Amino acid sequence: MGYAILALMVVGVVLMLTRVLPTAFALVLLALGIAILAGAPLTGADGSILTTVLQTGAATLAATMIAVLLGSWLGTLMDDTGIAATLVRRIVEFGGERPSVVALGVFAVAILCGSITGSAPAAMLAGVVGIPAMIAVGVAPVVAGGTVLMGIAAGSPLELPVWQFLSEALGAPVAEVRTVMIRLFPLALVAGIAYVVVETRRRGARHAWAVRAPASTRRATAPWYALLTPVV
């Protein structure tokens, strides 16, 4: 049964990442599928699909759902207005031809994206612009992808929806969860910086021919005050 649940979760993640199903619908289907695989009855006062999963479960995670919606809204706002793309471009201009500096800058942007929204939206938000920018200055593709993932992982302890979810799942006050996650953040930060510095120096710089993108595919440049959005 455990392997069947894991397989179902993998299918759900694939459907969400490929945008075949919206995240909200996929999560509901996952909850129903896991309950069915676990042998939960359809009706009943306790442990049933209709009462515990659909009725009580939605109310229990209401605060987490609101936090996720607000985080997703802010992530979409940063993407549509070009804030994330502008941050990456400014970092590339500052780093110049130094791959490690550019990678550390994209790592910082990935932390901001990871602290705002969930892992999959954050990966798309930071990776669509950050990975090509790193590859353009000579960072190996594997290291570029790993830098974005490490940044998102380092930003997860600062993600407010995660605090709310752990508080409700563990039955602990949000203040205690916040204290633990803030103490976890420096460890993830140091591990991410070490990965970026070591891997960029170990693999060296790699260059390839560049193709100028059409003007219609370039993202708009956000004003300087809009770049403060992730901090706010």
Side-chain angles (χ1 to χ4, degrees):
M1 181 180 66
Y3 291 110
I5 292 176
L6 290 175
L8 180 63
M9 294 178 67
V10 170
V11 172
V13 170
V14 170
L15 292 176
M16 286 186 284
L17 291 178
T18 55
R19 298 188 177 184
V20 175
L21 282 179
T23 303
F25 292 124
L27 292 178
V28 172
L29 294 178
L30 279 176
L32 293 175
I34 292 173
I36 293 172
L37 291 176
L42 179 61
T43 59
D46 188 22
S48 65
I49 295 177
L50 293 179
T51 302
T52 304
V53 177
L54 296 180
Q55 183 177 345
T56 309
T60 303
L61 296 176
T64 302
M65 293 177 184
I66 295 299
V68 170
L69 288 175
L70 292 176
S72 300
W73 170 78
L74 182 56
T76 302
L77 178 66
M78 289 180 59
D79 186 23
D80 292 343
T81 56
I83 294 175
T86 303
L87 283 172
V88 173
R89 283 198 295 266
R90 294 290 181 265
I91 289 169
V92 173
E93 293 172 1
F94 174 77
E97 296 297 326
R98 294 170 292 182
S100 58
V101 176
V102 174
L104 287 173
V106 176
F107 173 73
V109 174
I111 290 177
L112 292 176
C113 295
S115 64
I116 292 172
T117 183
S119 57
M124 291 184 287
L125 186 62
V128 167
V129 181
I131 292 178
M134 286 186 285
I135 294 177
V137 297
V139 178
V142 174
V143 179
T147 298
V148 173
L149 293 178
M150 292 294 288
I152 294 169
S156 295
L158 303 179
E159 188 182 351
L160 298 183
V162 172
W163 296 359
Q164 186 66 44
F165 173 76
L166 291 177
S167 174
E168 295 180 354
L170 302 177
V174 176
E176 294 183 5
V177 175
R178 181 179 63 243
T179 300
V180 173
M181 300 300 278
I182 290 178
R183 291 178 179 177
L184 179 63
F185 172 70
L187 300 177
L189 180 64
V190 171
I193 293 176
Y195 170 83
V196 173
V197 173
V198 171
E199 288 298 315
T200 51
R201 294 183 180 274
R202 185 175 70 88
R203 293 179 179 266
R206 299 182 181 181
H207 296 283
W209 292 102
V211 177
R212 190 173 185 84
S216 59
T217 62
R218 299 176 196 164
R219 296 174 183 267
T221 300
W224 64 269
Y225 52 82
L227 303 182
L228 301 175
T229 301
V231 179
V232 176

